Amino acid sequence: MAHYVGPKARINRRFAVKSGEGESVLGIFESAGALRATKRRPFAPGMARPRGRKSVYGQSLAEKQKIKYAYGISERQLRKLYAIAKRQQGNTGENLKVLCERRLDNVIRRAGLAKTRPQARQGVAHRHFLVNGVPTTSSSFAVRPGDVISVKKNEKLQEMYKAIFAEMASVSANAWLVVDEESLSITVTSMPMAVDFSLPIEIDLVVEFLAR
């Protein structure tokens, strides 16, 4: 499931999160179509509406799936991240959040050089970005403080990403990332914190599921 190509609107509707005012809040796919679909139909897809309350297993499975869909990672990749998070000091759930946030495609999206994570992943795959001056096609690359991500010196690419940044800059502020609009470069100033993880999930349920 590293490259989900199915209907994103169905996934957003299935995992829609209600705000305090009763409105659905998107936390999975950010494309315009998926956003509109969730606002129009803030309930799970299918002819039969879900009845009753999910079991603990069902809740845990749903929370795990949210991470996989949102970050575009496979079951194997998620379990690998969990194994790393478990070996690190501190809370395993918070460590897992930080590892997800450190992915290169996520950093590009969070900095405002892409509208969605899939778009950022596509840019990485097409060698649009350099990490410390070196081209990379690995969207799972884990950034570290001091790393500099920049857009390839190509006139058409520079124009495209400047237009994206102009549209996204107002909603992409992050304390641990500094973006130079002129050079289209992202400097990682520090490690992200667990609070920077914007996906609305119950991370403890995910940890419990992966620990089975």
Side-chain angles (χ1 to χ4, degrees), residues 128-150:
H128 292 178
F129 296 93
L130 312 177
V131 179
N132 299 326
V134 179
T136 179
T137 58
S138 175
S139 58
S140 62
F141 179 87
V143 301
R144 297 176 179 274
D147 284 348
V148 178
I149 300 99
S150 57

Side-chain angles (χ1 to χ4, degrees), residues 29-91:
F29 293 111
E30 304 167 299
S31 60
L35 174 62
R36 288 194 300 270
T38 309
K39 286 184 176 180
R40 288 198 302 262
R41 296 183 174 183
F43 49 83
M47 295 294 291
R49 300 290 178 84
R51 293 184 178 181
R53 188 175 182 179
K54 284 185 179 180
S55 64
V56 174
Y57 177 86
Q59 293 176 28
S60 300
L61 176 62
E63 297 301 296
K64 176 182 71 75
Q65 293 297 88
K66 288 180 185 179
I67 291 184
K68 291 173 61 177
Y69 281 118
Y71 287 92
I73 57 181
S74 65
E75 181 77 19
R76 182 177 180 181
Q77 289 174 315
L78 180 59
R79 290 189 177 276
K80 182 178 179 181
L81 291 177
Y82 167 73
I84 297 172
K86 189 177 180 180
R87 291 195 300 267
Q88 294 176 336
Q89 294 183 346
N91 182 276

